[in-house]
């Protein structure tokens, strides 16, 4: 079995949230499979998501801000990265978006834009576990699922070097206790069956 170091990036201000429970279950599954895990709790750690002049200057060859360097060091240790955040206005919450904007910087994660499959990062496995109150049939019929797949899987996370990408929308996360339990079991199974980069 291929043991990996798995980085989990959690974005939710409430430590008792369903998103936090999903992250915990995924980590339990990954550990049961023999992987090591590391949690980035963006709110608990007080990550600053605001894109700044210091970030722009880093894109131009200056040293990246210290907090961004800390996150890049965490990424460097990881063979797989799992993002957990609730679907928010059909996109990422601000903390996750800011983490992406500031940490996956030009010259460190990528240095071109014409090929989203080309990254300066080594190949990794990427998983998105996204609790969503919306129904799966609604998301598919209205085109939201296809839009997220295009924006995230074919766009953003290509530049991350995610050669293996898994988008899991956890529909019905505001539903019954039985539904929520089933989704938590699913998060555990995803962690337990995590595959290495292609």
């Amino acid at each position: 079995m291929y043991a990996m170091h798995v980085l989990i990036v959690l974005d939710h201000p409430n430590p008792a949230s369903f998103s936090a429970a999903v992250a915990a279950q995924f980590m339990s599954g990954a550990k049961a499979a023999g992987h090591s895990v590391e949690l980035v709790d963006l709110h608990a750690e007080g990550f600053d998501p605001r894109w700044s002049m210091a970030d722009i200057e880093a894109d131009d060859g200056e040293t990246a801000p210290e907090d961004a360097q800390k996150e890049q060091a965490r990424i460097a240790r990881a063979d797989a990265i799992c993002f957990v955040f609730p679907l928010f206005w059909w996109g990422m919450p601000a903390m996750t978006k800011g983490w992406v904007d500031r940490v996956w910087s030009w010259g460190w994660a990528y240095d071109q834009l014409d090929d989203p499959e080309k990254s300066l990062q080594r190949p990794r496995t990427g998983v998105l576990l996204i609790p969503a109150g919306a129904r799966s049939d609604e998301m598919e019929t209205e085109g939201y699922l296809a839009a997220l797949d295009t924006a995230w899987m074919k766009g953003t996370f290509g530049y991350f070097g995610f050669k293996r990408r898994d988008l899991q929308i956890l529909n019905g996360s505001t539903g019954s206790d039985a539904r929520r339990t089933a989704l938590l079991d699913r998060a555990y199974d995803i962690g337990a069956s995590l595959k290495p980069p292609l």
Side-chain angles (χ1 to χ4, degrees):
M1 207 242 354
Y2 181 82
M4 295 185 289
H5 184 63
V6 186
L7 187 69
I8 298 91
V9 182
L10 170 64
D11 182 355
H12 201 294
N14 184 354
S17 67
F18 187 69
S19 293
V22 166
Q25 284 295 98
F26 173 85
M27 287 190 290
S28 292
K31 286 191 283 189
H35 306 303
S36 60
V37 299
E38 181 176 358
L39 177 66
V40 179
D41 187 331
L42 295 174
H43 288 269
E45 296 181 16
F47 179 78
D48 185 353
R50 295 173 298 176
W51 188 48
S52 69
M53 276 304 300
D55 298 304
I56 293 172
E57 289 164 356
D59 287 344
D60 291 334
E62 298 296 323
T63 302
E66 188 174 335
D67 60 344
Q69 289 184 59
K70 175 186 173 185
E71 302 306 309
Q72 290 171 349
R74 285 171 148 170
I75 292 163
R77 294 191 289 270
D79 304 296
I81 302 176
C82 176
F83 290 85
V84 183
F85 56 83
L87 188 62
F88 207 83
W89 292 112
W90 305 110
M92 298 177 184
M95 277 286 209
T96 305
K97 183 61 167 64
W99 192 88
V100 169
D101 290 344
R102 297 194 56 228
V103 176
W104 290 86
S105 57
W106 179 270
W108 184 81
Y110 63 99
D111 62 0
Q112 49 71 51
L113 294 172
D114 60 342
D115 181 3
E117 297 302 316
K118 185 177 179 182
S119 175
L120 297 178
Q121 291 295 305
R122 63 183 168 88
R124 290 186 174 89
T125 294
V127 179
L128 277 73
L129 297 180
I130 314 298
R135 298 192 321 266
S136 57
D137 58 342
E138 173 193 12
M139 288 189 65
E140 188 164 353
T141 301
E142 298 297 325
Y144 292 115
L145 191 56
L148 293 177
D149 184 72
T150 299
W152 293 346
M153 298 294 101
K154 293 183 174 66
T156 303
F157 295 105
Y159 294 108
F160 278 35
F162 287 174
K163 297 303 183 186
R164 188 186 295 276
R165 295 167 223 166
D166 186 14
L167 171 60
Q168 295 281 338
I169 306 293
L170 305 179
N171 296 99
S173 62
T174 56
S176 67
D177 288 345
R179 176 62 180 163
R180 288 159 69 89
T181 298
L183 292 174
L184 292 175
D185 289 344
R186 184 171 151 197
Y188 179 95
D189 290 343
I190 292 167
S193 60
L194 199 62
K195 291 181 173 56
L198 295 169

